[in-house]
Amino acid sequence: DAGVTQSPTHLIKTRGQHVTLRCSPISGHKSVSWYQQVLGQGPQFIFQYYEKEERGRGNFPDRFSARQFPNYSSELNVNALLLGDSALYLCASSLESGEQPQHFGDGTRLSIL
Amino acid sequence: QKEVEQDPGPLSVPEGAIVSLNCTYSNSAFQYFMWYRQYSRKGPELLMYTYSSGNKEDGRFTAQVDKSSKYISLFIRDSQPSDSATYLCAMNGYGGATNKLIFGTGTLLAVQP
């Protein structure tokens, strides 16, 4: 079975631009979470979605938004990109909300110039 | 003070050594404890998952949780060069409300052949 898949794998943007990152969870998994991992740090929680509803939000500005589709895939959107948004963006899925463990994709590496 | 503290290393050991990796935490509500392994340019891969206190063994890996001391450990026996990676501890204690994981900063391990 396929694991969590994310696209694109690598993206280069300039300051002020907008970006959309995509995630497909493991088949049968209904919960999707997004994390930001800056070099040398552990992942930081951004959002969790379950059954298309937001179930959790981390300490990130309103420039970050997300949504989940009926097929449980998800998008993370970031507006007005800043240099500090350069990071590895990870998607994780689990069967249900509140259920552990979560399984991660290989992420999208976002570079801001 | 961070909720989860982890020594970033780097930790260098000879092949065949026993490796001990540790995390401490401050939130007594944490109930789910995970260890992830992350290779360079890859997403975190689940190694061990423990609920509440106790020990869990899987092959060369043993996870221990001591909730009274707020301390978790991962032991790797007969370490191999292929074990060279960053090891992340992660915790959750929010019940069904959210899947939010709190990560340590990760420990970089190098196993020398």
Side-chain angles (χ1 to χ4, degrees), chain A residues 31 33 35 37 40-43 45 48 55-56 88 90 94 96-107 109, chain B residues 2 8 32 34 36 38 40-46 49 88 92 95-106:
Chain A
S31 177
S33 297
Y35 292 81
Q37 187 177 25
Q41 299 294 319
F45 175 78
Q48 183 211 345
R55 282 298 187 97
L88 180 67
L90 296 162
S94 63
E96 302 285 342
S97 182
E99 182 168 311
Q100 304 296 340
Q102 295 174 61
H103 299 271
F104 284 81
D106 281 337
R109 187 162 299 280
Chain B
K2 289 183 177 180
Y32 300 92
M34 282 138 286
Y36 288 88
Q38 187 173 26
S40 180
R41 300 190 174 277
K42 289 288 191 178
E45 171 194 5
L46 180 68
Y49 160 59
L88 295 156
N92 169 279
T98 173
N99 272 6
K100 177 182 178 181
L101 288 177
I102 306 298
F103 281 85
T105 54

Side-chain angles (χ1 to χ4, degrees), chain A residues 7-69:
Chain A
S7 63
T9 55
H10 193 187
L11 207 50
I12 300 174
K13 293 284 188 178
T14 57
R15 283 176 295 174
Q17 284 189 312
H18 161 90
V19 69
T20 297
L21 310 180
R22 295 177 175 84
C23 170
S24 292
I26 292 171
S27 178
H29 284 198
K30 300 177 183 177
S31 177
V32 169
S33 297
W34 288 94
Y35 292 81
Q36 180 196 65
Q37 187 177 25
V38 174
L39 193 63
Q41 299 294 319
Q44 297 289 317
F45 175 78
I46 310 175
F47 285 112
Q48 183 211 345
Y49 274 78
Y50 175 72
E51 295 284 11
K52 297 184 291 181
E53 292 188 359
E54 184 182 300
R55 282 298 187 97
R57 173 185 285 256
N59 189 23
F60 281 81
D62 291 343
R63 299 184 296 109
F64 288 76
S65 64
R67 56 179 177 167
Q68 187 178 33
F69 299 99

Side-chain angles (χ1 to χ4, degrees), chain B residues 15-36:
Chain B
E15 184 175 353
I18 296 175
V19 176
S20 172
L21 304 168
N22 312 293
C23 288
T24 58
Y25 62 95
S26 57
N27 189 341
S28 58
F30 287 149
Q31 300 179 66
Y32 300 92
F33 304 91
M34 282 138 286
W35 286 95
Y36 288 88

